[in-house]
Amino acid sequence: VHILCFYDAQKRLKAAAFSLATTAQSEGGSKVSADFWHDVRRLIHERHGEGVCVLGFCGPAGDQTPRPQVGRRGEQRMYELRGLTYGQEIGRRIANTFDEVADVIAKDMRADVPLVHRVQQIELPARIVTDAEYAVAKKVCEDIDAKTTRSKSDHWTRGLYGSIADRYLAQQKGSQKTYEMELHALRLGDVAIATNPFELYLDYGVQIQARSPAEQTFLIQLVAPGEKSGGYVP
């Protein structure tokens, strides 16, 4: 959990920004909700004041989920014994993490730090779709199109494999050699904040942070102008 705090002139906590390598999908289901971030905010407001603004950012987490994939029954037993939902349990853990470091962070307030913001359009080389991959994608699309009724997963699968087929046809025409992305990079003192439009797998986030010259690097994924998400980058 990466945490950045902001204070007013009286050194009172005004805001806290968090970057976690996970999306907010702990509860699942078809509903509009802030998910575990609601519980993070609720607990921080109870402990540190209603006026504290809590910002939650999603770091590279394309292959990460907040729901446990291993040891599910043991995990469920523990949060049910606490009388919590799983979203509330994650919120409790993040709020507790904040409590552990809030006093330490407050010892190193900076009143005069450089603030620099750079925006750059970058053309990334597009991955080449092979003939074999196109053949598979085309058959999957044809099989789904032949169905009289489609399931919810069919629509998702058709969109995924259809995009692969479209990319192959575009590259055959020579019209999809690169992928253009908009990169935002900010410097706030010795902290760096960088965005990307993808769902980067975890290892990308580790590599970016390892190569960054900043003392601490916040990464925020799925940041794109309009609706131009870059999708998964494994």
Side-chain angles (χ1 to χ4, degrees):
V1 180
H2 289 266
I3 302 172
L4 182 62
C5 291
F6 299 86
Y7 307 85
D8 63 14
Q10 288 72 45
K11 298 185 177 182
R12 293 175 299 200
L13 180 66
K14 297 300 292 182
F18 296 77
S19 179
L20 287 86
T22 184
T23 49
Q25 296 171 304
S26 64
E27 296 301 330
S30 299
K31 61 182 179 181
V32 177
S33 163
D35 206 85
F36 61 75
W37 284 113
H38 166 75
D39 296 290
V40 175
R41 294 187 178 102
R42 178 179 57 81
L43 291 171
I44 288 179
H45 288 164
E46 288 176 3
R47 301 170 185 179
H48 299 274
E50 287 288 337
V52 178
C53 177
V54 177
L55 296 172
F57 297 124
C58 178
D63 50 345
Q64 181 89 310
T65 167
R67 295 185 295 276
Q69 303 303 301
V70 178
R72 291 185 182 186
R73 287 181 296 175
E75 188 84 350
Q76 182 176 349
R77 174 175 176 267
M78 290 305 295
Y79 67 73
E80 287 181 350
L81 284 171
R82 293 185 191 275
L84 303 175
T85 66
Y86 192 59
Q88 290 170 336
E89 169 63 12
I90 298 178
R92 183 189 71 84
R93 294 180 189 182
I94 297 170
N96 286 354
T97 299
F98 180 74
D99 291 343
E100 288 180 2
V101 299
D103 291 341
V104 179
I105 294 173
K107 293 179 181 179
D108 190 26
M109 294 184 192
R110 312 286 179 89
D112 184 17
V113 294
L115 173 60
V116 185
H117 178 201
R118 294 282 184 269
V119 182
Q120 188 171 343
Q121 299 293 330
I122 299 176
E123 288 198 350
L124 301 173
R127 179 187 176 277
I128 301 302
V129 180
T130 66
D131 293 343
E133 289 168 337
Y134 170 67
V136 171
K138 185 170 180 289
K139 186 175 187 310
V140 169
C141 292
E142 289 172 348
D143 290 347
I144 293 175
D145 292 343
K147 292 183 177 182
T148 53
T149 58
R150 297 185 191 179
S151 67
K152 190 175 181 179
S153 63
D154 282 337
H155 286 282
W156 189 89
T157 303
R158 179 64 175 80
L160 177 66
Y161 282 90
S163 68
I164 294 171
D166 291 343
R167 280 177 54 201
Y168 177 85
L169 296 174
Q171 77 188 25
Q172 293 301 100
K173 296 176 182 177
S175 59
Q176 191 166 344
K177 295 180 180 179
T178 62
Y179 182 91
E180 186 177 287
M181 65 159 281
E182 184 174 292
L183 169 70
H184 289 253
L186 294 92
R187 178 190 175 186
L188 183 59
D190 53 16
V191 169
I193 302 171
T195 72
N196 70 82
F198 307 106
E199 285 203 64
L200 298 180
Y201 276 27
L202 289 166
D203 192 53
Y204 277 98
V206 173
Q207 291 186 53
I208 294 169
Q209 289 174 329
R211 296 176 183 184
S212 171
E215 188 167 310
Q216 188 171 12
T217 302
F218 286 71
L219 302 175
I220 309 172
Q221 69 171 16
L222 291 169
V223 178
E227 297 182 359
K228 191 185 177 184
S229 167
Y232 291 105
V233 181

